[in-house]
Amino acid sequence: MPAGSAARGDLALVLTGGGARGAYQVGVLRTLARHFPTLSFPILAGVSAGAINASFLAAHPGNFAEAMEELYGIWSRLEADDIFRVDTVSLARQFTHWAARLASGDMSRPEVRGLVDSRPLHETIQRSSTTVDGELIGIERNLERGTLEALALTALNYTTEQTVTWIQAREFQPWSQPRHRSLPARITTEHVMASAALPLFFPAVRLGNDWYGDGGIRLSTPLVPALRLGATRILAISPHHEPTQEEANRPKNEGYPPPAQILSQLMDAIFLDILDEDVRRLKSINNLVTRLPAEDESGLRKVEIKTVRPSQALGRIASAYEPCLPAGFRYLTRSLGTRETDSSDLLSFLMFQPDYLQRLLRMGEEDAEARLDDLSNLLG
């Protein structure tokens, strides 16, 4: 679909990253599926955990309600073992190799590509959707049926340092900028894994001659893929809680900040804050378009957008579930100081514990229910 067009496929769903926080997105969508069982998102755009959810929806053979019930069931049963290897021996070996390379500078030592082994996630994605030679074949079927216009998944090309958005669509106009380009693709499990390869923790994924990692690392404009594909209405689900003034002013720890708190701020800045900035930019452009005479719009269009976000801080919730982590992984996170702060956004990315995920699923459902009237105006 050419950029700027407003065909029937003008409604887009944008799902950003956040690791285990992706469960919140599924909770929101399940409530929408209950109230709007025939709802369709012709344009789907995802990055990181959002890429996992978006690709599942794009490939599912059923309607929206059926897809969400199945995806909800998958997330409600997830455990850390379904995402990465967490046995003490595996973690200790990876950490020891990494530490040895850092300490000695000896490049002949065994190569370490990530702190954890993410092969279980690959197997989980393969089980969740029908694949042939890794390709999610349901995507092409839905494009042919007309229930889907386009799927866009974003990753970072470590080799060129460009953000790349892979697009599988009925029709689209490619774009290319120095820092962000689009590429046509038939989406495979490897594309999804690449978009979700959390830096340092998960190993990078090779596609062709290049290595790719989490798409949120340098993605300054997460709404661009949906806009380029012609969206005139966007529902964006962010796993980032907007704090009140009182929450923002409250100290998170005493004394010198532990590594976990510093890493949490880095994760927030890279993966969570950026959607808020892009939404503000879009709303500013909307205000400008509203004031312009029609002959001066220069191809600009007004794009309606609604954002759903958690009503509670997920980092604080994750801290309460930390004792439930597998022993080996718990020792690793505690070495970073996760027990020295009452809010750990770092943990919230990695907390693939059933009780924590189910809490996020319920929160997503409740938050969507509270916003239902407002969202109906967008979705109707």
Side-chain angles (χ1 to χ4, degrees):
M1 185 187 307
S5 65
R8 70 178 183 83
D10 63 350
L11 175 62
L13 175 65
V14 175
L15 301 175
T16 57
R21 291 174 179 238
Y24 177 81
Q25 299 171 347
V26 176
V28 171
L29 292 172
R30 189 194 193 201
T31 287
L32 297 183
R34 276 203 305 270
H35 290 277
F36 308 97
T38 59
L39 177 64
S40 170
F41 291 100
I43 301 171
L44 294 167
V47 58
S48 194
I52 297 173
N53 291 332
S55 60
F56 179 90
L57 290 175
H60 196 276
N63 61 29
F64 182 50
E66 293 168 342
M68 286 319 305
E69 282 305 306
E70 188 173 337
L71 186 57
Y72 188 94
I74 292 171
W75 274 92
S76 65
R77 296 187 297 270
L78 271 185
E79 298 184 7
D81 287 340
D82 297 314
I83 307 299
F84 48 76
R85 284 202 166 84
V86 295
D87 61 279
T88 304
V89 173
S90 176
L91 281 172
R93 182 171 58 250
Q94 292 285 79
F95 190 76
T96 300
H97 288 171
W98 201 347
R101 284 174 65 88
L102 287 173
S104 68
D106 183 0
M107 301 306 292
S108 65
R109 289 180 178 274
E111 190 176 64
V112 179
R113 297 188 172 185
L115 191 55
V116 298
D117 183 347
S118 61
R119 278 177 290 183
L121 175 58
H122 189 283
E123 296 165 5
T124 298
I125 296 172
Q126 290 273 78
R127 287 196 305 269
S128 301
S129 298
T130 303
T131 61
V132 174
D133 295 329
E135 181 185 342
L136 280 65
I137 59 173
I139 298 173
E140 190 62 28
R141 289 175 181 170
N142 288 333
L143 289 171
E144 293 172 354
R145 291 166 55 198
T147 56
L148 178 70
E149 292 288 339
L151 169 66
L153 303 186
T154 300
L156 175 66
N157 185 328
Y158 286 127
T159 308
T160 66
E161 299 183 350
Q162 282 181 312
T163 293
V164 173
T165 296
W166 293 297
I167 296 177
Q168 188 168 350
R170 301 177 73 185
E171 180 185 356
F172 85 102
Q173 186 68 41
W175 73 88
S176 181
Q177 298 171 342
R179 291 190 177 181
H180 190 181
R181 64 182 301 206
S182 65
L183 290 174
R186 294 180 73 96
I187 300 299
T188 68
T189 305
E190 297 303 310
H191 290 97
V192 182
M193 288 292 295
S195 181
L198 202 63
L200 300 182
F201 286 93
F202 290 1
V205 175
R206 186 173 184 174
L207 285 158
N209 294 323
D210 296 338
W211 292 92
Y212 292 86
D214 197 299
I217 298 175
R218 297 191 69 181
L219 183 60
S220 58
T221 51
L223 299 178
V224 158
L227 295 172
R228 290 277 189 173
L229 290 166
T232 58
R233 293 175 292 150
I234 297 176
L235 172 63
I237 305 179
S238 168
H240 191 202
H241 171 65
E242 184 71 23
T244 63
Q245 191 64 52
E246 180 182 355
E247 288 175 323
N249 292 340
R250 184 171 56 235
K252 306 302 185 295
N253 72 295
E254 296 181 4
Y256 192 82
Q261 188 174 357
I262 296 172
L263 286 172
S264 292
Q265 296 307 301
L266 286 173
M267 300 285 270
D268 284 0
I270 295 171
F271 297 107
L272 302 182
D273 294 344
I274 203 65
L275 177 64
D276 299 333
E277 294 298 324
D278 210 18
V279 169
R280 280 192 281 268
R281 280 192 293 267
L282 179 57
K283 289 182 176 179
S284 296
I285 293 173
N286 282 341
N287 290 334
L288 174 63
V289 173
T290 301
R291 293 183 174 90
L292 286 174
E295 62 271 17
D296 294 333
E297 289 182 1
S298 301
L300 294 173
R301 69 179 185 273
K302 186 174 180 179
V303 178
E304 186 178 2
I305 184 164
K306 299 289 183 183
T307 307
V308 181
R309 62 181 67 255
S311 53
Q312 301 175 51
L314 302 191
R316 290 180 62 85
I317 294 174
S319 295
Y321 290 92
E322 186 266 355
C324 302
L325 282 171
F329 197 67
R330 185 171 68 246
Y331 297 148
L332 175 63
T333 58
R334 287 185 179 181
S335 71
L336 297 173
T338 53
R339 301 282 285 182
E340 299 169 32
T341 175
D342 71 347
S343 177
S344 179
D345 284 345
L346 173 63
L347 270 182
S348 72
F349 279 76
L350 303 169
M351 184 68 70
F352 289 95
Q353 287 295 114
D355 44 6
Y356 172 71
L357 296 176
Q358 290 160 17
R359 174 91 175 263
L360 298 196
L361 289 166
R362 291 194 302 271
M363 186 189 302
E365 291 183 275
E366 293 163 0
D367 290 350
E369 198 74 46
R371 293 278 309 280
L372 203 57
D373 290 341
D374 183 34
L375 296 176
S376 297
N377 296 328
L378 175 78
L379 304 176

